[in-house]
Amino acid sequence: MAMSEMPVADEEAGPYGITTGPDGALWLTFVHSGRIARLTLDGELDTFPLESAECGPTVIAPGPDGALWFTRFRDHRIGRITTAGETESFPLPTPDSGPFGITAGPDGAMWFTEMNTDRIGRITGTGEITEYALPGTGSYPSAITAGPDGALWFTLNQANAIGRITVHGDIAVHPLPTAGAAPVGIASDGVALWFVEIAAGQIGRISVDGAIEEFPLPDRTAKPHAIVAAAPGDCWFTEWGANAIGHITKSGQITEYGLPSPSSEPHGITVGPDAAVWAALETGAVARLARKPGR
């Protein structure tokens, strides 16, 4: 499969999150320069500065309102940008909460994690925020995704577990079999949830009834970071430590594709409007991996 890279910023800007927007373009967060970027498939790039260059935009996701929503980890706000580039943001009720993951929920709201304060948040299109406290402290909730069961699923990086929250706020926690695995990214393939274990060098799968499987990577120091599902049993993930993009099937078969530039720090990953896999490289580029039919 063909792999290519496209520069989008200097290495100080830090492309981090990436998603496909409703307008058929790719949207990125520049975590170190406080900007959101829009990238078309033919390479046209527009960037939109936020009101604070230090706000730390991190994960970005399309919302049910046709806009893009993103977390601002450093100034503890949730941001919103329209496809025309109009921005606004909403402060979180809990100070120093450190929002990180964000996803659209089945209830027409956006759901997000608060890493510093052990909470899951919900924000409506008008900015009304509700927070749900997790059991325990220091769990470091990280990525979050909508599951096939109508609930939200999230990783608990320091509690070494996968969490589930219903739209009514009911919470369940599923401990991982591997100690110290430190899960980060999570995605739904429409059947089950897939997640990465950055410290254990494994990919995990959890069914909606809580059954967990783990699949070791060839390089256990690869530090998988983010994951996206293209279809049931067809998932792609970034390997921050191995400088690669990985693929895993339902049976656990893993294939890895090295990135052209060394030490490019791949983080966010998405399936683009062209059906290719795109990854944000924190050193200033995006990578594109053309998929074979059926993969």
Side-chain angles (χ1 to χ4, degrees), residues 102-122:
I102 191 167
T103 192
D107 57 348
M110 300 299 291
W111 289 74
F112 57 92
T113 60
E114 299 181 18
M115 286 204 296
N116 296 344
T117 52
D118 299 294
R119 287 172 166 82
I120 301 297
R122 176 186 185 271

Side-chain angles (χ1 to χ4, degrees), residues 93-246:
T94 302
D96 303 321
S97 54
F100 181 79
I102 191 167
T103 192
D107 57 348
M110 300 299 291
W111 289 74
F112 57 92
T113 60
E114 299 181 18
M115 286 204 296
N116 296 344
T117 52
D118 299 294
R119 287 172 166 82
I120 301 297
R122 176 186 185 271
I123 184 168
T124 68
T126 56
E128 181 181 350
I129 295 170
T130 307
E131 295 174 311
Y132 301 91
L134 297 172
T137 59
S139 60
Y140 221 58
S142 301
I144 187 169
T145 193
D149 57 347
L152 290 304
W153 292 73
F154 51 93
T155 52
L156 292 167
N157 180 264
Q158 292 301 297
N160 207 54
I162 304 299
R164 176 185 184 271
I165 185 170
T166 69
V167 294
H168 305 295
D170 300 316
I171 296 167
V173 174
H174 303 276
L176 296 181
T178 301
V184 183
I186 190 169
S188 169
D189 69 355
V191 177
L193 292 305
W194 293 80
F195 56 93
V196 300
E197 299 178 357
I198 194 169
Q202 297 185 137
I203 305 300
R205 180 183 186 272
I206 183 169
S207 65
V208 293
D209 61 4
I212 297 172
E213 297 176 271
E214 294 174 311
F215 306 95
L217 297 174
D219 176 4
R220 299 296 289 274
T221 67
K223 295 183 179 178
H225 184 270
I227 189 166
V228 67
D234 178 7
C235 294
W236 298 81
F237 53 93
T238 50
E239 294 183 350
W240 181 77
N243 199 52
I245 292 173

